Amino acid sequence: MEWEKIFASRASRMKASEIRELLKLLEQPDIISFAGGIPDAALFPAEEFSKAYAEVLTGPDAVPALQYSVSEGYKPLREWLVGEMGKLGIPCAPDNIFIVSGSQQGLDYIGKVLLSPKDTALVTWPTYMGALGAFNAYEPNYDKLDPMTNREPSTYAEKAAQGGGRVKFAYCVPEFSNPSGETIPRAGRENILNLAEALDIAVVEDAAYQQLRYSGETVKPILALDIERNGGDIDKTRTLYCGSFSKTLAPGLRLGYIVAAQDVIRKLVLVKQASDLHSSTVNQVVMGKVAHKIFDAQVEKIRKTYSHRRDRMLEAMTKYMPVGVEWTKPEGGMFVWVTLPKGFDGASLLAKAVRDHRIAFVPGKAFHADGTGENTIRLSFSCASDDAIETGISRLGTLIKSEMAG
Amino acid sequence: MEWEKIFASRASRMKASEIRELLKLLEQPDIISFAGGIPDAALFPAEEFSKAYAEVLTGPDAVPALQYSVSEGYKPLREWLVGEMGKLGIPCAPDNIFIVSGSQQGLDYIGKVLLSPKDTALVTWPTYMGALGAFNAYEPNYDKLDPMTNREPSTYAEKAAQGGGRVKFAYCVPEFSNPSGETIPRAGRENILNLAEALDIAVVEDAAYQQLRYSGETVKPILALDIERNGGDIDKTRTLYCGSFSKTLAPGLRLGYIVAAQDVIRKLVLVKQASDLHSSTVNQVVMGKVAHKIFDAQVEKIRKTYSHRRDRMLEAMTKYMPVGVEWTKPEGGMFVWVTLPKGFDGASLLAKAVRDHRIAFVPGKAFHADGTGENTIRLSFSCASDDAIETGISRLGTLIKSEMAG
């Protein structure tokens, strides 16, 4: 199931025949996989969820939990999120928060509201494939957002006009990005806001990994910086903060949220009304209960486990990678991003890795809006045991060395 | 909550100020409401759902139920649906079935795949407002589908071309339609297929009320007739059948399904991958369990209750409505559709009804793609007690008589 998700959900960028071939190879049980960008299911608080569903469905909440509900989302869950946002330096009200069916749906709705065909979305190189998939439905052009070395604002506007539209937003994953694992420092976040202000566009801050910091200093979310620039008033900001419960509590309930200015939220709520009415009521009620009870403890548990795995993977990389291979040192999240020497092709390396070395990863090309990045691969440590990391990275080192020698 | 849903979800057709005013009026506790197009929450099998969540989340299914899953939907649920479809004369395989987050999402995806701006969708007059809301996002034109008196196919194509696009599909609710309560007879369904074949377009069959027949003879779904025309092979058909669990088991889990040819399903699955990955895994697993166990008994229970309420409402209409008022006699579903004498305006009647007579209904104009239908209103009997029906319809009769006299 993991594999189908990884590849099939990238279908907009991969040929069906390629997917089928990969799936076939990857069904073999002895493969050590660093490919899945998914949380470790062993960490899901199944018992707490079980208790919460029972409590909700046998009590006075049963009727509203099973009935139709409002499109903006279950109010107690939004109220709980107000408290969490406050901790991140994002003062807001429930009307600034909108519950969606996973942050992927948030990205889709943002594309639907903001993008017309030939408009331009600014994205990092590489960027989250799921975001490209969501935006692609609205037929935009892409231009390269580089937080530390952005071009003159006018050059973005001119290029967008040449493409037949306007720049509509800048999208990024500022913390422990999927796929790069990198964090945008405060200066980069301010640069993004400067650019957005100059172009008068929105900023889409994908905060899917927000809670998963294992080391390094906390950096304020872009929305928090935007609020500071606007005298503490979130309703004057241009940033849409997309959060998720998938990486902390569980993805199977499909719940995420968008935090933004009220007039932005109202537009997004209208999109949801027309497209699926609202997210599952019972899941929202249950998520509210479980989050209220165990969120901090659950985040602590996940951080401890993933932090250990990150450390093991970085140690193994140092031990087994030959000179000429570079990789990121993430302060959190799930991913290490590897840049191989020029001439390497991640996709053909994957085929050899699976066939001859029984290991797997995701080739990096699919994360690039312009089809570059052939010599990059993404490794995920979120589901890997110590043994799998030691053995798998050792095998990867052997493969890369033999390719370099050949 | 009911009210907010009814009006807010129609926002694409109603002004925000109108909605706010109505909501204020309707919050008053003594209103007898025939407005809500929602199922009676007292009938939800809350205990069965509670048991199923507990079973799933404390057993071996807990991990997959909380994890990411495949976009086409949970296979055992699709397999159960194969059996149900078979009973309706729709032989199919799991690959012909796609799980969506409520049939509303199915309509949105169909619009996303089939409609470009200025294309034409054929819809009945009146039609389900939620369908218009979903399709409106893709900026189509509408033309009038009248199953019993359709125009020459070429006139539809010509009108669509004048509008700047092509006819893409015909949409209808063939059984106990929302809002009209009417059923399209077999001849009308064949006419729709004839028209669709002549224009080479899809048919979108919204079967949200399929299970709620209380009297009259069963008519085969359009998809079943389409399959018959194609030698029993669903993969050669042009009909997209949209089903729902919201009117039988519960809307709060947000689960529906589309049944169609495999190549159509594959396209829709790609849309879902990019837009929200998949519907809630745990809800799909639970719905599969509950449906397997109690579906037929639950449908029987609902039929008995709603059938009784329909009978009471039709009796009360006969008793209290003055000459000059007409209404439909539905064989199932939740709605009676009332046509008032020319000159009546449903929206201003509603204001008076709420203010002076403490009753509510939905004005019919919002169900018309061309903004006509001022003199129509929709009454729902699904949540009304015998007393509420007797008193409420009596008050409605008094109001209408006084308006006719004035």
Side-chain angles (χ1 to χ4, degrees):
Chain A
M1 196 176 289
E2 178 192 336
W3 284 109
E4 287 187 78
K5 181 187 169 284
I6 298 157
F7 292 105
S9 72
R10 311 328 188 195
S12 56
R13 299 262 146 191
M14 282 182 91
K15 281 185 207 150
S17 58
E18 288 174 344
I19 295 170
R20 272 196 303 275
E21 199 182 323
L22 269 169
L23 287 177
K24 227 169 167 182
L25 281 168
L26 293 167
E27 269 167 13
Q28 297 157 3
D30 62 331
I31 299 280
I32 295 176
S33 167
F34 304 119
I38 63 177
D40 185 348
L43 297 169
F44 294 153
E47 201 186 321
E48 290 298 336
F49 277 119
S50 176
K51 276 191 224 162
Y53 278 107
E55 218 178 294
V56 169
L57 290 170
T58 57
D61 284 343
V63 160
L66 293 172
Q67 187 57 285
Y68 286 113
S69 178
V70 294
S71 299
E72 57 268 37
Y74 181 62
K75 192 139 185 212
L77 181 58
R78 287 153 61 220
E79 286 167 343
W80 180 82
L81 283 164
V82 165
E84 291 301 301
M85 289 298 112
K87 295 179 198 168
L88 297 172
I90 298 172
C92 63
D95 286 349
N96 296 111
I97 298 180
F98 166 44
I99 305 295
V100 286
S101 299
S103 65
Q104 182 72 28
Q105 184 176 64
L107 299 178
D108 177 49
Y109 289 169
I110 290 169
K112 198 168 185 176
V113 165
L114 293 179
L115 292 173
S116 297
K118 299 187 180 177
D119 275 338
T120 289
L122 309 184
V123 300
T124 53
W125 255 234
T127 198
Y128 169 52
M129 272 194 280
L132 297 178
F135 302 153
N136 284 345
Y138 308 100
E139 303 172 30
N141 296 316
Y142 294 103
D143 198 354
K144 186 175 178 175
L145 178 72
D146 187 338
M148 300 316 285
T149 60
N150 274 329
R151 311 189 315 255
E152 273 300 301
S154 60
T155 66
Y156 289 96
E158 283 156 19
K159 198 169 165 193
Q162 282 160 20
R166 289 187 299 137
V167 184
K168 289 299 180 67
F169 60 79
Y171 167 84
C172 61
V173 188
E175 310 259 284
F176 336 121
S177 179
N178 179 359
S180 77
E182 287 182 320
T183 296
I184 301 175
R186 170 139 182 175
R189 300 180 192 209
E190 298 281 10
N191 286 343
I192 290 172
L193 280 174
N194 291 341
L195 178 65
E197 285 174 5
L199 294 170
D200 194 17
I201 60 171
V203 176
V204 180
E205 176 173 30
D206 185 339
Y209 305 94
Q210 180 83 59
Q211 290 79 17
L212 307 189
R213 176 176 284 280
Y214 319 132
S215 58
E217 266 185 49
T218 302
V219 189
K220 282 199 177 177
I222 298 175
L223 178 54
L225 300 175
D226 198 357
I227 291 172
E228 283 180 6
R229 287 180 180 213
N230 286 285
D233 186 353
I234 188 173
D235 290 327
K236 291 183 180 157
T237 61
R238 60 180 69 249
T239 303
L240 289 75
Y241 178 99
C242 303
S244 173
F245 287 105
S246 296
K247 310 302 188 279
T248 50
L249 291 171
L253 280 72
R254 306 305 306 123
L255 290 175
Y257 44 94
I258 300 180
V259 187
Q262 275 189 46
D263 60 351
V264 172
I265 295 296
R266 272 195 292 265
K267 276 181 201 150
L268 292 167
V269 168
L270 290 177
V271 170
K272 191 162 179 71
Q273 282 169 348
S275 72
D276 70 0
L277 302 182
H278 59 84
S279 295
S280 166
T281 330
V282 62
N283 289 0
Q284 292 186 68
V285 179
V286 162
M287 192 64 92
K289 269 196 191 298
V290 172
H292 199 270
K293 203 166 153 195
I294 64 155
F295 191 74
D296 289 348
Q298 175 67 12
V299 166
E300 220 24 74
K301 188 170 119 181
I302 291 172
R303 276 186 189 146
K304 206 176 144 190
T305 306
Y306 291 176
S307 163
H308 172 86
R309 290 174 184 168
R310 176 203 60 172
D311 293 346
R312 292 294 82 73
M313 184 170 275
L314 291 177
E315 284 166 17
M317 291 295 286
T318 305
K319 193 164 154 192
Y320 294 114
M321 285 302 126
V323 173
V325 176
E326 290 174 0
W327 60 94
T328 56
K329 319 291 182 295
E331 295 180 335
M334 302 180 167
F335 307 109
V336 171
W337 179 250
V338 184
T339 304
L340 303 166
K342 288 245 182 289
F344 266 85
D345 176 70
S348 54
L349 193 72
L350 174 63
K352 284 181 197 167
V354 173
R355 203 179 52 228
D356 304 332
H357 299 263
R358 324 309 287 161
I359 52 169
F361 48 79
V362 178
K365 188 175 169 179
F367 297 93
H368 289 73
D370 63 346
T372 61
E374 286 91 347
N375 62 326
T376 58
I377 63 175
R378 188 192 75 178
L379 302 176
S380 169
F381 51 80
S382 57
C383 296
S385 69
D386 288 8
D387 275 1
I389 289 171
E390 177 68 20
T391 311
I393 299 298
S394 156
R395 289 180 188 174
L396 180 62
T398 304
L399 168 61
I400 292 172
K401 281 177 207 160
S402 84
E403 289 291 301
M404 285 168 81
Chain B
M1 198 176 287
E2 179 192 335
W3 285 107
E4 286 186 78
K5 181 187 167 284
I6 297 158
F7 291 107
S9 72
R10 310 331 186 194
S12 56
R13 298 264 146 190
M14 283 182 90
K15 282 185 207 152
S17 58
E18 288 174 344
I19 295 170
R20 272 197 301 275
E21 199 181 325
L22 269 169
L23 287 177
K24 228 169 166 181
L25 281 169
L26 293 167
E27 269 167 14
Q28 297 157 2
D30 62 331
I31 300 281
I32 295 177
S33 167
F34 304 120
I38 63 176
D40 186 348
L43 298 168
F44 294 153
E47 202 186 320
E48 290 297 337
F49 277 120
S50 176
K51 276 191 224 162
Y53 278 107
E55 219 177 293
V56 168
L57 290 171
T58 56
D61 284 343
V63 159
L66 293 173
Q67 188 55 286
Y68 286 111
S69 179
V70 294
S71 300
E72 57 268 36
Y74 181 61
K75 191 140 186 211
L77 180 59
R78 287 154 60 221
E79 286 167 344
W80 180 82
L81 283 164
V82 165
E84 291 301 302
M85 290 298 111
K87 295 179 198 169
L88 298 172
I90 297 171
C92 63
D95 287 347
N96 296 111
I97 298 180
F98 166 45
I99 306 294
V100 286
S101 300
S103 66
Q104 182 73 29
Q105 185 176 65
L107 298 177
D108 177 49
Y109 289 169
I110 289 169
K112 198 169 184 175
V113 165
L114 292 179
L115 292 174
S116 297
K118 299 186 179 176
D119 275 338
T120 289
L122 308 183
V123 299
T124 52
W125 255 233
T127 197
Y128 168 52
M129 272 194 281
L132 297 178
F135 302 152
N136 283 345
Y138 308 101
E139 304 173 29
N141 297 316
Y142 293 103
D143 199 354
K144 187 175 177 173
L145 177 73
D146 187 339
M148 300 317 286
T149 60
N150 275 329
R151 311 190 314 256
E152 273 299 302
S154 60
T155 66
Y156 289 95
E158 283 155 20
K159 198 169 166 193
Q162 282 161 20
R166 288 187 300 137
V167 184
K168 289 299 180 67
F169 60 79
Y171 167 83
C172 61
V173 188
E175 311 259 284
F176 336 121
S177 179
N178 179 359
S180 79
E182 288 182 320
T183 297
I184 301 175
R186 170 139 181 173
R189 300 179 193 211
E190 297 282 10
N191 286 344
I192 291 171
L193 279 174
N194 292 341
L195 179 65
E197 285 175 4
L199 294 171
D200 195 17
I201 60 172
V203 175
V204 180
E205 176 174 29
D206 185 340
Y209 306 94
Q210 180 83 59
Q211 290 80 15
L212 307 188
R213 176 176 285 280
Y214 319 133
S215 59
E217 266 185 49
T218 303
V219 190
K220 282 199 176 177
I222 297 175
L223 178 54
L225 300 174
D226 198 358
I227 291 172
E228 283 180 7
R229 287 180 180 213
N230 286 285
D233 186 354
I234 188 173
D235 290 326
K236 291 181 179 157
T237 60
R238 60 180 68 248
T239 303
L240 289 75
Y241 177 100
C242 303
S244 173
F245 287 105
S246 297
K247 310 302 189 278
T248 50
L249 291 172
L253 281 72
R254 306 305 306 121
L255 289 175
Y257 43 95
I258 299 179
V259 188
Q262 275 189 46
D263 60 351
V264 173
I265 295 295
R266 273 193 292 263
K267 275 179 201 152
L268 292 167
V269 168
L270 290 179
V271 171
K272 190 162 178 71
Q273 282 168 346
S275 73
D276 70 1
L277 302 182
H278 59 84
S279 294
S280 165
T281 330
V282 62
N283 289 2
Q284 292 185 70
V285 179
V286 162
M287 192 63 93
K289 270 195 190 298
V290 171
H292 199 269
K293 203 166 155 195
I294 66 155
F295 191 75
D296 289 348
Q298 174 67 12
V299 166
E300 220 24 73
K301 188 169 119 180
I302 291 172
R303 277 186 189 146
K304 205 175 145 190
T305 306
Y306 290 177
S307 163
H308 172 85
R309 290 173 184 169
R310 177 205 57 173
D311 293 346
R312 293 295 81 75
M313 184 170 274
L314 290 177
E315 284 166 19
M317 291 295 287
T318 305
K319 193 164 156 193
Y320 294 115
M321 285 301 125
V323 173
V325 176
E326 290 174 0
W327 60 92
T328 56
K329 320 290 183 294
E331 295 181 334
M334 303 180 168
F335 307 109
V336 172
W337 179 248
V338 185
T339 304
L340 303 165
K342 287 247 182 287
F344 266 85
D345 176 69
S348 54
L349 194 72
L350 174 63
K352 284 180 196 169
V354 173
R355 203 177 52 227
D356 304 330
H357 300 263
R358 325 308 288 162
I359 53 168
F361 47 79
V362 178
K365 188 176 169 178
F367 298 93
H368 289 74
D370 64 346
T372 61
E374 285 91 348
N375 63 326
T376 57
I377 63 176
R378 188 192 76 178
L379 303 175
S380 169
F381 51 80
S382 56
C383 296
S385 69
D386 288 8
D387 276 1
I389 290 171
E390 177 68 21
T391 311
I393 299 298
S394 155
R395 290 179 187 173
L396 181 61
T398 305
L399 169 62
I400 293 172
K401 280 177 208 160
S402 83
E403 289 290 302
M404 286 167 81

